[in-house]
Amino acid sequence: MAGKKTRKQYWERNLKYLIILLSIWFIVSFGFSILLVDYLDNIRVGGFKLGFWFAHQGSIYVFVILIFVYVYLMNRLDKEFHVEEEERGKP
Amino acid sequence: MDVRAWTFVLVALSFALYIAVAIFARAKSTGEFYVAGGKVPPVLNGMATAADWMSAASFISMAGLISFMGRDGGVYLMGWTGGYVLLALLLAPYLRKFGKYTVPDFIGDRYYSQTARYVAVVCAIFVSFTYVAGQMRGVGIVFSRFLDVQIEIGVMIGMGIVFFYAVLGGMKGITYTQVVQYCVLIFAYLVPAIFISLMMTDQAVPQLGLGSTVNDGTGGFLLDRLDGLSRDLGFHEYTRGSKETLNVFSITAALMVGTAGLPHVIVRFYTVPKVSAARVSAGWALVFIALLYTTAPAVAAFARMNLLSTIPNQPYATAPDWFKNWEKTGLIKFEDKNNDGLITYVGAASELENELTIDRDIMVLANPEIAKLPHWVTGLVAAGGLAAALSTAAGLLLVISTSVAHDLLKKGIRPKISEKGELITARIAAGLAVCVAGYFGIHPPGFVAQVVAFAFGLAASSFFPAIIMGIFSTRMNKYGAISGMIAGIVFTASYIIYFKFLQPGLNTPEHWWWGISPEGIGTLGMMLNFLVAYVVFRFTPPAPRHIQVLVNRIRIPRGAGEAHEISA
């Protein structure tokens, strides 16, 4: 790691993560489950039409995964830029 | 033991448990009263948030709503979960770093303005009262249906319980009771769902049962059978939508953004020790919520399937017991229009011939009876419904009491008040709020259901944009934020009031702007807020230097522990 990592860079990386993750959030919920739902319903997975599955189940699973990916990325970023929180002393 | 005895025992046991927990975890300082001292472990905070969030509506009404809406029911499933992604990524970590106690605190400090603080306080109180009235009503309804007590007495019992642990325990007491209440409500929701899934599809996981084949020997997929039955009776197919795409889009967005802007949810993220804990705790909250929210569509489809395959065109004389039982409560109404002794149940196309009206709440409440499950399961559902209603009510009451004691008094008209005085005021405010909520529970202002759209619309069009701009722009000033909030609220409120209260007759798609219903108008209100704020900001001086420094500090996790030290 050459040079001092700045807070500006930290914030820019954070924004980059947000844009990627929120794009997925948008595509799955508003894209797959609402705008493209009739098209995806032509594809069947077991007893589900795919669009219906995304609207009633799939998007919720994706939401959960997105938050945990975000947690992982941000914890890593905090360490890289040395801005993670110090353990608190006495409670 | 019969159903009544089981219900009584399970409800009494769960109440005793809540009281025991509240005594164990009572608050001693304002810090503990407002944010549980900022020491709640993330997983437990996730559980408490889930109970806080999932109300009587999620537990009792949602599966029924989906049951009748089919695919369009996805607006609730996605709307009330997708908001947590926004909350986790855009709000929770920064608000936790900011510290302090409330949403108006953030708005007031960030926009260096008492006016902004008061606008936020009024919104917070209005949104919370709207919500809490519905919860108290829910408590009363569960009592009256399962235990045959009058709704009034049911509401009083509920008030007594909430009064006890909210006033005594503050946020600390509420948090730990909510953890217990989550366990009660999720158990009560999953048990009948698993039973029914096994009975209909041989699949123990309801989420998978929904996509499985029916086990009656015919082999078809459950959802295909349901589509077929719906079509034959003249209903729209279960897996097809019937609403306009733009409207579905707007409602989903308004519910998501509204969820992220609701003060009683946001405040939960002030209770964890660190910024990284706020992030992961939002993740846990959604895991616990998703457990119920992915089960709900399965419950909805199973219940619909049961209903459509056992009731239509059957003789009334031989209708199942549950049908007669729930007829007494008025939730099922049958009128033999053509006097043929058969129950005619058909879709909107031939509405005049339809003889059956069904309250959608029945899909969850009567589920155990419909599926012929043991009596204790019914008792469990009653206890679960109460847990859902009480946990949400307590969280809302806390927001109200904090807004009065902290935002209005301490940060507003009487800054010199001692901590002891503030704590007493907070307790009195919580007590008064319980009474007002109980009053609305007993005498519901006919429009409780209508105003839910209000709560989400207002949260979406006021708080959400103001907080987002406060974090992601260092220069956004008070002029922009205040005018944005006011524009958003006035626009959203006018639209809802016009269609819901002034001209309910015109509340149809052809009169709505761009076909967007009052439930979805918060989305436009939010955009208007952003737009107005930006335009005003362009013509006024940017936020002063010290505010820009504050915003830059909020963006970095390090140092969050100190924010609560002032209160320790």
Side-chain angles (χ1 to χ4, degrees):
Chain A
M1 272 182 262
K4 194 175 178 300
K5 303 261 188 183
T6 65
R7 294 192 165 189
K8 189 157 172 277
Q9 286 171 317
Y10 171 84
W11 186 246
E12 278 162 5
R13 281 273 290 283
N14 177 16
L15 291 182
K16 197 179 92 188
Y17 291 155
L18 289 184
I19 291 168
I20 296 171
L21 294 172
L22 288 177
S23 307
I24 300 174
W25 167 82
F26 185 86
I27 292 169
V28 170
S29 53
F30 294 96
F32 291 171
S33 311
I34 296 176
L35 300 175
L36 303 171
V37 66
D38 289 321
Y39 177 74
L40 286 181
D41 271 349
N42 295 324
I43 306 166
R44 291 194 64 121
V45 181
F48 289 110
K49 292 175 183 167
L50 193 59
F52 175 86
W53 182 78
F54 268 113
H56 273 206
Q57 304 257 296
S59 47
I60 302 180
Y61 300 130
V62 176
F63 295 156
V64 172
I65 295 168
L66 284 176
I67 297 184
F68 282 99
V69 170
Y70 169 75
V71 170
Y72 169 78
L73 289 174
M74 288 309 285
N75 284 347
R76 207 181 55 177
L77 191 66
D78 288 352
K79 283 216 177 63
E80 189 185 325
F81 282 82
H82 302 293
V83 293
E84 77 271 31
E85 295 145 288
E86 50 292 301
E87 287 305 313
R88 295 175 72 187
K90 273 165 58 177
Chain B
M1 286 211 286
D2 68 351
V3 175
R4 284 268 297 281
W6 269 115
T7 309
F8 185 79
V9 168
L10 288 172
V11 169
L13 271 180
S14 64
F15 279 19
L17 194 61
Y18 307 151
I19 290 177
V21 172
I23 292 174
F24 168 75
R26 60 189 183 280
K28 295 179 197 77
S29 66
T30 47
E32 287 190 343
F33 194 90
Y34 295 146
V35 292
K39 287 180 214 133
V40 181
V43 178
L44 291 188
N45 188 51
M47 247 185 223
T49 311
D52 201 27
W53 171 236
M54 292 191 286
S55 60
S58 292
F59 190 93
I60 299 172
S61 307
M62 192 176 65
L65 275 169
I66 299 167
S67 207
F68 286 82
M69 291 169 77
R71 188 180 78 192
D72 288 341
V75 298
Y76 298 113
L77 292 165
M78 292 189 290
W80 286 335
T81 53
Y84 277 84
V85 178
L86 299 175
L87 202 53
L89 273 56
L90 301 177
L91 305 176
Y94 309 108
L95 290 174
R96 175 60 193 87
K97 174 65 197 293
F98 170 74
K100 306 291 177 63
Y101 302 124
T102 63
V103 175
D105 253 344
F106 177 79
I107 304 264
D109 287 6
R110 166 61 183 84
Y111 294 114
Y112 48 100
S113 151
Q114 285 298 90
T115 316
R117 185 188 302 272
Y118 291 134
V119 171
V121 170
V122 171
C123 287
I125 293 181
F126 183 81
V127 168
S128 304
F129 262 123
T130 311
Y131 235 93
V132 82
Q135 302 309 315
M136 283 301 172
R137 189 74 187 163
V139 171
I141 288 172
V142 172
F143 265 108
S144 71
R145 284 179 199 162
F146 286 100
L147 290 166
D148 270 346
V149 290
Q150 282 177 307
I151 288 200
E152 289 76 14
I153 297 179
V155 172
M156 304 267 217
I157 299 173
M159 279 168 65
I161 296 281
V162 173
F163 186 85
F164 187 80
Y165 69 73
V167 174
L168 189 73
M171 185 57 120
K172 197 174 165 204
I174 287 175
T175 302
Y176 290 99
T177 19
Q178 279 173 339
V179 170
V180 179
Q181 283 162 336
Y182 175 78
C183 300
V184 172
L185 80 87
I186 199 67
F187 188 65
Y189 205 84
L190 291 182
V191 166
I194 292 171
F195 268 122
I196 295 173
S197 182
L198 277 171
M199 286 166 62
M200 296 183 77
T201 65
D202 289 333
Q203 172 57 256
V205 182
Q207 286 83 344
L208 298 176
L210 181 60
S212 300
T213 51
V214 189
N215 63 359
D216 59 359
T218 53
F221 284 114
L222 183 117
L223 287 169
D224 292 339
R225 286 279 296 280
L226 193 48
D227 278 347
L229 277 171
S230 308
R231 208 169 35 231
D232 293 346
L233 292 165
F235 295 98
H236 69 89
E237 283 183 28
Y238 191 78
T239 60
R240 294 235 145 253
S242 57
K243 281 188 191 319
E244 289 296 320
T245 302
L246 180 64
N247 195 21
V248 172
F249 190 99
S250 307
I251 297 177
T252 310
L255 293 180
M256 282 186 182
V257 176
T259 301
L262 283 176
H264 71 288
V265 177
I266 292 179
V267 75
R268 289 236 49 98
F269 295 96
Y270 287 102
T271 65
V272 293
K274 297 199 295 185
V275 171
S276 54
R279 293 179 194 137
V280 75
S281 138
W284 284 116
L286 189 56
V287 167
F288 295 125
I289 292 168
L291 208 52
L292 190 146
Y293 271 62
T294 53
T295 308
V299 170
F302 296 152
R304 187 80 184 153
M305 180 82 185
N306 256 327
L307 182 76
L308 293 188
S309 54
T310 54
I311 299 301
N313 304 320
Q314 299 300 312
Y316 177 69
T318 60
D321 286 342
W322 63 265
F323 191 89
K324 305 263 166 72
N325 286 343
W326 287 89
E327 221 181 343
K328 281 180 225 145
T329 63
L331 292 189
I332 291 181
K333 288 198 194 83
F334 170 66
E335 181 200 354
D336 198 358
K337 289 180 189 160
N338 54 8
N339 286 316
D340 63 353
L342 299 178
I343 303 167
T344 309
Y345 184 45
V346 288
S350 34
E351 207 172 334
L352 291 176
E353 291 152 40
N354 184 37
E355 301 174 339
L356 185 66
T357 355
I358 300 173
D359 188 297
R360 49 191 187 235
D361 287 357
I362 210 155
M363 291 302 186
V364 168
L365 295 176
N367 223 352
E369 291 168 66
I370 297 176
K372 303 193 186 68
L373 299 180
H375 292 328
W376 61 269
V377 180
T378 307
L380 198 59
V381 170
L386 288 171
L390 290 174
S391 57
T392 306
L396 291 161
L397 290 169
L398 193 85
V399 168
I400 297 170
S401 90
T402 315
S403 297
V404 173
H406 184 73
D407 298 320
L408 275 186
L409 247 72
K410 176 81 178 170
K411 293 299 183 88
I413 47 185
R414 283 203 44 203
K416 290 207 172 73
I417 192 167
S418 69
E419 183 180 331
K420 212 172 159 196
E422 193 184 341
L423 194 56
I424 292 171
T425 319
R427 289 204 157 113
I428 294 173
L432 286 178
V434 173
C435 298
V436 177
Y439 176 82
F440 284 123
I442 294 171
H443 306 282
F447 50 85
V448 165
Q450 314 279 353
V451 284
V452 170
F454 238 146
F456 283 93
L458 286 189
S461 61
S462 60
F463 289 137
F464 184 78
I467 301 174
I468 291 287
M469 291 184 294
I471 297 166
F472 290 87
S473 156
T474 48
R475 294 155 55 84
M476 176 50 74
N477 59 19
K478 64 176 171 186
Y479 311 103
I482 295 173
S483 40
M485 277 200 284
I486 291 175
I489 294 170
V490 170
F491 169 78
T492 309
S494 320
Y495 193 86
I496 297 176
I497 291 172
Y498 180 78
F499 282 113
K500 290 280 189 182
F501 303 118
L502 299 182
Q503 299 286 346
L506 295 181
N507 193 8
T508 49
E510 52 280 14
H511 296 104
W512 295 336
W513 291 1
W514 306 289
I516 297 175
S517 63
E519 286 76 19
I521 201 66
T523 306
L524 283 189
M526 171 194 74
M527 292 183 203
L528 187 70
N529 183 332
F530 276 122
L531 188 75
V532 169
Y534 181 74
V535 171
V536 172
F537 165 69
R538 297 295 295 172
F539 294 99
T540 43
R545 192 80 209 123
H546 71 277
I547 294 294
Q548 299 191 21
V549 172
L550 171 81
V551 176
N552 275 320
R553 227 172 39 224
I554 289 174
R555 294 176 173 184
I556 307 289
R558 180 163 290 218
E562 292 136 38
H564 283 159
E565 295 305 319
I566 40 164
S567 65

